[in-house]
Amino acid sequence: MATPTFDQLVEAGCHFGHLKRKWNPAMAPYIFMERNGIHIIDLYKTAAKIEEASNALRQMAKSGKKVLFVATKKQAKEAISDKAKAIGMPFVIERWPGGMLTNFPTIRKAVKKMTTIDKMTKDGTFDNLSKREKLQITRQRAKLEKNLGSIADLNCLPSALFVVDVMKEHIAVAEAKRLGIPVFGIVDTNSNPEDIDFVIPANDDASKSIEVILDAVCSAMAEGLEERKVEKLDAAEKDQENEEAPAANKRRRVRRNDLPKNDQQPVAQAAPEAAEETKAEAAE
C-alpha cells in the first residue's frame, strides 16, 4: 500500500479548497492558510488521513466486508466506476435512490425484478408478449440497470460507505448515520466533517484529486482481498493435509482378547506347571 506523497497531492490539486466566504468553520483544523480569498488545505494532514482510511478499508476487505462507493457528481463518476469494478465493490454513480439503506428490502425487490426480466428473456416467455409489452419491459429493465445495476450483487447492507463530496451526498450520509454504518468521505472546506467517521480533507471538485485518493484507497483494499485469498488457500491446504494423514502414524492398541487363541497362555495353568518343575529339581 503506497500513500500518495506530498508532491503527488500538490500536483493533483488536492490542496485547493473553496472561497473563504463559503467555508465551514468545522473544517478549520484541516486548513493551512488562505491565499487570494481561497482556503488552502493542509496536505500533511490529508496524507495522514488517507493512510488511516486505507488501513481501515484494507482490514474490511480482508474480512470479506462490502464497501459501497457513492459519487453522483460528474468529475467522480468514471473514476468510481473503474476503481470499484476492479476490486468487485458495489457503487452508485447515478441518482441516490432515497431509502437505499433505510429501506433496503424494497431496493432488493427492484433488483430481483431485473433478474425476473432476464429469466423471461432466457426461457422464451418474453417472445410471447406483444410488441407494446416488450417495449415497456425493455425500458423498465434499462432504467433499473442504470440506477441499480451496480449494486445487483449487494445482498445485504454494506459495512461502510465511501463518499465523494459529503455535502452533495448528504442523504446517503444521513441514512448511514441512522443505521450506524461508518462513513469514509472526501471532505472539502465547505462541508461539515462531524458526521464523517473517516475524514479525508481534500479538493472534491477536481477529477485528478479524486483519482489520486481513490488509487490509494482501492489499492489498499486490493491488498486486503489478496491477503484474504492467501489465508483461504492456506486453510484449505491444512485441512487437506489433516485429512490425508497416513493411517500408519496412528498407533493402534492391540487388546489381549484380540490375539489368536494359540498365542494365549492362561496364567492359572502356567503357574502349577512351574511349581511342579521347582519341586522336582529340589528332590534331585
Side-chain angles (χ1 to χ4, degrees), residues 206-227:
S207 57
K208 288 185 178 180
S209 172
I210 296 169
E211 286 177 7
V212 165
I213 296 171
L214 283 176
D215 281 339
V217 167
C218 292
S219 63
M221 294 184 71
E223 288 179 10
L225 292 171
E226 286 297 324
E227 290 176 4

Side-chain angles (χ1 to χ4, degrees), residues 15-89:
H15 58 292
F16 290 117
H18 281 266
L19 294 172
K20 182 181 177 182
R21 58 188 174 84
K22 292 184 178 182
W23 81 310
N24 191 314
M27 285 295 291
Y30 306 105
I31 296 175
F32 176 67
M33 63 179 293
E34 175 201 343
R35 178 177 292 177
N36 299 328
I38 297 175
H39 278 131
I40 304 299
I41 297 170
D42 189 347
L43 292 182
Y44 287 108
K45 292 185 178 179
T46 301
K49 290 294 184 179
I50 290 174
E51 186 175 1
E52 180 184 351
S54 297
N55 289 332
L57 288 169
R58 177 182 177 180
Q59 291 300 321
M60 285 188 175
K62 187 177 179 180
S63 303
K65 296 179 180 178
K66 291 287 185 180
V67 178
L68 179 62
F69 288 79
V70 183
T72 58
K73 64 194 309 180
K74 185 178 179 181
Q75 301 93 315
K77 282 185 178 183
E78 186 176 354
I80 285 285
S81 177
D82 294 341
K83 303 297 181 184
K85 282 180 182 178
I87 57 176
M89 292 294 169

Side-chain angles (χ1 to χ4, degrees), residues 111-184:
V111 173
K112 288 180 180 178
K113 191 177 290 185
M114 285 197 304
T115 308
T116 304
I117 295 173
D118 293 339
K119 287 181 180 178
M120 290 173 61
T121 307
K122 291 179 180 178
D123 62 15
T125 308
F126 187 76
D127 297 331
N128 297 329
L129 300 176
S130 63
K131 187 176 180 180
R132 183 179 179 181
E133 289 175 331
K134 287 181 181 179
L135 183 61
Q136 289 177 345
I137 292 175
T138 304
R139 287 177 178 174
Q140 185 183 22
R141 175 69 174 80
K143 186 177 180 180
L144 290 171
E145 178 65 32
K146 182 180 179 182
N147 295 325
L148 304 175
S150 57
I151 61 166
D153 297 331
L154 189 64
N155 298 320
C156 59
L157 286 172
S159 299
L161 255 67
F162 187 95
V163 180
V164 178
D165 194 345
V166 298
M167 191 173 181
K168 182 177 177 61
E169 313 299 342
H170 64 280
I171 298 176
V173 173
E175 289 188 24
K177 184 181 178 183
R178 183 176 179 181
L179 297 175
I181 298 173
V183 180
F184 298 75

Side-chain angles (χ1 to χ4, degrees), residues 234-248:
D234 291 342
E237 288 178 359
K238 287 181 181 179
D239 292 340
Q240 189 174 2
E241 287 176 1
N242 293 334
E243 290 177 359
E244 295 178 356

Side-chain angles (χ1 to χ4, degrees), residues 256 261 263-275:
R256 187 163 173 250
K261 292 183 178 180
D263 296 339
Q264 294 182 10
Q265 184 177 3
V267 178
Q269 294 178 2
E273 292 176 358

